[in-house]
Amino acid sequence: MAEHKDEILLKVNQVFNPPERVLEKALISAEEFDKIYQKSVEDPEGFWAEQAEKELVWFEKWEKVREWNYPYYKWFVGGKLNITYNCLDRHVENGRRNKIAYIYTNEDNQEIKVTYGELLEMVNRFANGLKSLGVKKGDRVVIYMPLVIEQMVAMLACARIGAIHSVVYAGFSANALRMRIEDAEAKVVITSTWTKRRGKKIDLKSVVDEAVDGLEFVENIIVFQREGDEFELAEKEIDFNELMKNQSPECEPEVMDAEDPLFILYTSGSTGKPKGVLHTIGGYNLYTHVTTKYVFDIHEDDIYWCTADPGWITGHSYMLYGPLSVGTTSVIAEGAPDFPDPGRWWSIIEKYRVNIFYTAPTAIRLFMKYGEDWPAKYDLSSLRVLGSVGEPINPEAWIWYYENIGRKQCSIVDTWWQTETGGHMITTVPAYPQKPGKAGKPFWGIKADVVDKQGNPVEPNTVGFLVIKEPWPSALRTCWGEPERFEKYWNEIPNVYTAGDLATKDEDGYIMILGRADDVINVSGHRIGTAEVESALVSHPAVAEAAVIGKPHEVKGESIKAFVILKQGHEPSDNLLKDIKMHVRHELGSLAVPDEIEFVEKLPKTRSGKIMRRVLKAQELGMDVGDISTLED
Ligand code: WTA
């Protein structure tokens, strides 16, 4: 055991210096980064005010940079802007009208390109369409769409008129979608007919039909019909393209307050149903802009590709708002990463000469299994910066990525952040020395530390809780309808934001993220609450009790294992097992279906009846179960 630990420490202490070609081009050097960091934490308000002046267009200037009434905070108080103006209009007015905003491609190698000028027109038409349906500032709009340009249009059109979008990943089930529509009381739902994955059409429309059934407050469902579709639209349903067709291509951007809501995005916590993380406009626009520019080192002619989906925060911040605000050209690709073959992603990089590539460790590990011959067939020499996000990247995967995709000619940025943080919090910039497995250092303006339960900093290389000491511009403002859940982030350890991750910090200040400290499982970079899966399990008629844990998994990072006690009169069987899995799929979606279900007679519980998942996990992994003095039996 001890030897193994030393081995790991040795690996994560390797230092990789940025390649010469990255350094030559970098917007900022390591020394400059450090200097600016120092300034930014000594005077965060001065720093962010300077960035806000330099990077964004404001309709009216703010009166106060930050207001902090613990645990609530505001940024750019009184400032007026519209994020779509910063993402679209200003580029069109300043010589980027014909620059490509998005290159869309899919499994059939279809290609659609839209310029900034065209995107602005589409957004304006759709925004006018939403207005014609009575959607107003502050109304909620739920979006459940495939990865197509029209999804970007739908999101931006909401922001244009001040409506609050809530995007739901199109892999969630009807029940999960319905919960989110109900919680936000969405006036309109925007969807599409299908998406295609591994050559198969996946129906989305029927999921929405089930989700909105009987919801009176949903006034309209807008349906983007894809090639070949001819749907008979039912009552309340409106065709996406028809809605746009007769509208004006001009729509004045609504003058929004910096603190007006931009979007709600639901994410899993350790207890109860998902929380609706709320982000506001000004601070979010600024922070995602600045991180996109410097963490990815984006230059005017760069081609950037983030492989996420708009259904997650990475899609919001680094496929939509950040890259558009900076004015870059993005590739987006619908479909599976390894279909029709494991060369698909590398062929896209070759074809579009992608310079900056941002993906998740789970994808890297998938490609590691296919072997290095696949990427070796392609010309990947355009790449300069490689990004990682969503879960800890193990040093083996980091080095494979560095050697086989980056060909030792790229920098890797391992960006740690969360739905709640809005943007990158801990990372290195491309010109900074990198350590495989360690995300790096806090970004400008971020005071991060690793502390014990009382909030005292722990010794170097000792495990503790990752915290942020002061509000930053893109920090979540609240949880929709549940302020107490928001306050918990700042109360768990008084005065600081507790991220829910375990981490260590080394002598050089590099932070390594070890994983969640709470009952949240990270499956392929997606957050899944054990409580959610357990409640889906016990809603099955044969299940009396259930406990769920995460287990290490070679490709997914973690996989879900469930322990289930059956109700009297039910016997374990393969059929029942299948049926329970189907049930979870129906309740939550395929992401949350346990890989393993074990039928048990008993679950370890505290005397007060709480299930001790920690004990189950230790047993499962053959580890010491630790202190079990509170165990009932
Ligand atoms: C994990 C995704 C290690 C972490 C942007 C965090 C990471 C959770 C990294 C947030 C990383 C994200 N290294 N762990 N680079 N990035 N995580 O809200 O546990 O979907 O708390 O946001 O993912 O997941 P979320």
Side-chain angles (χ1 to χ4, degrees), residues 313 390-392 414-419 501 513 516 522 527:
I313 191 69
E391 49 177 320
D414 174 6
T415 60
W416 175 85
W417 59 295
Q418 308 177 295
T419 305
D501 279 308
I513 316 295
R516 298 291 304 192
N522 192 327
R527 271 165 74 166

Side-chain angles (χ1 to χ4, degrees), residues 23-255:
L23 287 174
E24 271 166 24
K25 213 166 175 184
L27 292 172
I28 34 155
S29 67
E31 295 70 37
E32 282 165 333
F33 178 86
D34 284 342
K35 231 167 69 199
I36 296 172
Y37 178 79
Q38 215 42 50
K39 224 177 72 184
S40 74
V41 289
E42 276 159 20
D43 176 19
E45 294 187 25
F47 171 76
W48 288 117
E50 195 187 310
Q51 292 293 321
E53 294 260 19
K54 191 172 115 203
E55 302 290 352
L56 302 185
V57 176
W58 297 80
F59 300 149
E60 265 175 58
K61 202 179 158 173
W62 55 89
E63 286 135 26
K64 206 168 167 202
V65 182
R66 180 173 70 178
E67 202 175 276
W68 192 13
N69 297 316
Y70 172 83
Y72 290 92
Y73 38 83
K74 291 180 178 170
W75 283 88
F76 306 107
V77 182
K80 308 278 183 211
L81 77 168
N82 188 299
I83 196 167
T84 68
Y85 187 88
N86 284 314
C87 288
L88 302 168
D89 306 61
R90 65 158 156 175
H91 302 314
V92 170
E93 287 159 20
N94 294 321
R96 291 188 181 129
R97 175 183 289 277
N98 297 321
K99 179 169 178 175
I100 300 205
Y102 286 113
I103 305 171
Y104 160 91
T105 186
N106 58 25
E107 292 178 349
D108 302 319
N109 277 323
Q110 199 189 347
E111 178 187 280
I112 301 169
K113 293 180 175 171
V114 298
T115 63
Y116 274 91
E118 289 162 346
L119 189 61
L120 175 60
E121 253 192 58
M122 289 170 85
V123 169
N124 283 344
R125 284 177 188 276
F126 198 71
N128 286 327
L130 287 174
K131 276 189 189 168
S132 76
L133 298 176
V135 179
K136 294 184 307 291
K137 181 173 171 175
D139 286 343
R140 274 81 56 207
V141 173
V142 164
I143 300 175
Y144 186 81
M145 291 184 83
L147 181 42
V148 290
I149 290 167
E150 283 73 10
Q151 172 158 206
M152 310 306 191
V153 170
M155 292 167 80
L156 291 163
C158 289
R160 188 83 174 167
I161 64 172
I164 306 169
H165 59 70
S166 172
V167 179
V168 179
Y169 175 63
F172 277 114
S173 71
N175 276 348
L177 173 60
R178 185 184 180 89
M179 178 249 121
R180 288 158 173 79
I181 295 171
E182 280 185 306
D183 194 69
E185 273 189 71
K187 196 171 191 174
V188 167
V189 176
I190 308 174
T191 189
S192 179
T193 40
W194 47 265
T195 183
K196 209 164 161 187
R197 207 173 162 85
R198 301 190 177 287
K200 274 208 312 246
K201 274 190 186 177
I202 300 166
D203 182 13
L204 301 178
K205 175 64 172 47
S206 63
V207 178
V208 175
D209 290 346
E210 194 183 329
V212 300
D213 186 37
L215 298 182
E216 293 297 327
F217 55 82
V218 177
E219 292 176 11
N220 288 109
I221 297 114
I222 304 172
V223 187
F224 173 61
Q225 305 203 47
R226 310 192 64 177
E227 272 180 19
D229 292 337
E230 264 179 65
F231 263 72
E232 188 83 30
L233 294 168
E235 196 203 332
K236 290 190 184 182
E237 292 179 354
I238 290 171
D239 181 83
F240 192 103
N241 290 320
E242 282 296 314
L243 182 67
M244 280 171 76
K245 214 186 214 159
N246 302 318
Q247 300 293 337
S248 154
E250 270 159 44
C251 171
E252 280 299 306
E254 189 76 29
V255 176

Side-chain angles (χ1 to χ4, degrees), residues 209-427:
D209 290 346
E210 194 183 329
V212 300
D213 186 37
L215 298 182
E216 293 297 327
F217 55 82
V218 177
E219 292 176 11
N220 288 109
I221 297 114
I222 304 172
V223 187
F224 173 61
Q225 305 203 47
R226 310 192 64 177
E227 272 180 19
D229 292 337
E230 264 179 65
F231 263 72
E232 188 83 30
L233 294 168
E235 196 203 332
K236 290 190 184 182
E237 292 179 354
I238 290 171
D239 181 83
F240 192 103
N241 290 320
E242 282 296 314
L243 182 67
M244 280 171 76
K245 214 186 214 159
N246 302 318
Q247 300 293 337
S248 154
E250 270 159 44
C251 171
E252 280 299 306
E254 189 76 29
V255 176
M256 302 297 289
D257 195 276
E259 280 298 323
D260 279 332
L262 177 61
F263 64 84
I264 303 168
L265 184 59
Y266 287 85
T267 189
S268 293
S270 47
T271 54
K273 63 178 174 59
K275 352 180 204 199
V277 167
L278 183 96
H279 282 287
T280 55
I281 301 165
Y284 177 84
N285 190 173
L286 180 65
Y287 196 85
T288 53
H289 177 108
V290 173
T291 46
T292 303
K293 179 168 166 180
Y294 291 104
V295 174
F296 296 127
D297 193 50
I298 292 193
H299 294 253
E300 188 60 38
D301 296 330
D302 277 338
I303 306 288
Y304 163 84
W305 181 20
C306 166
T307 67
D309 185 279
W312 311 109
I313 191 69
T314 307
H316 284 62
S317 302
Y318 298 111
M319 290 174 96
L320 188 74
Y321 292 116
L324 290 181
S325 187
V326 170
T328 195
T329 298
S330 292
V331 173
I332 59 174
E334 188 181 6
D338 53 350
F339 188 88
D341 64 50
R344 176 168 181 253
W345 274 10
W346 320 129
S347 75
I348 293 173
I349 292 175
E350 178 182 88
K351 179 168 178 189
Y352 294 110
R353 308 296 297 154
V354 172
N355 307 102
I356 300 143
F357 179 65
Y358 191 33
T359 194
T362 186
I364 305 297
R365 291 191 298 260
L366 175 75
F367 288 115
M368 281 171 82
K369 288 188 80 163
Y370 287 123
E372 50 215 47
D373 291 349
W374 277 103
K377 290 185 200 168
Y378 298 89
D379 176 4
L380 305 181
S381 61
S382 55
L383 290 171
R384 198 174 76 245
V385 178
L386 304 175
S388 175
V389 61
E391 49 177 320
I393 181 164
N394 45 311
E396 291 78 7
W398 197 102
I399 288 166
W400 191 90
Y401 196 20
Y402 179 78
E403 290 178 349
N404 294 287
I405 308 306
R407 314 265 160 91
K408 303 186 183 175
Q409 291 299 313
C410 297
S411 277
I412 295 186
V413 294
D414 174 6
T415 60
W416 175 85
W417 59 295
Q418 308 177 295
T419 305
E420 294 88 338
T421 71
H424 302 149
M425 303 298 280
I426 296 171
T427 180

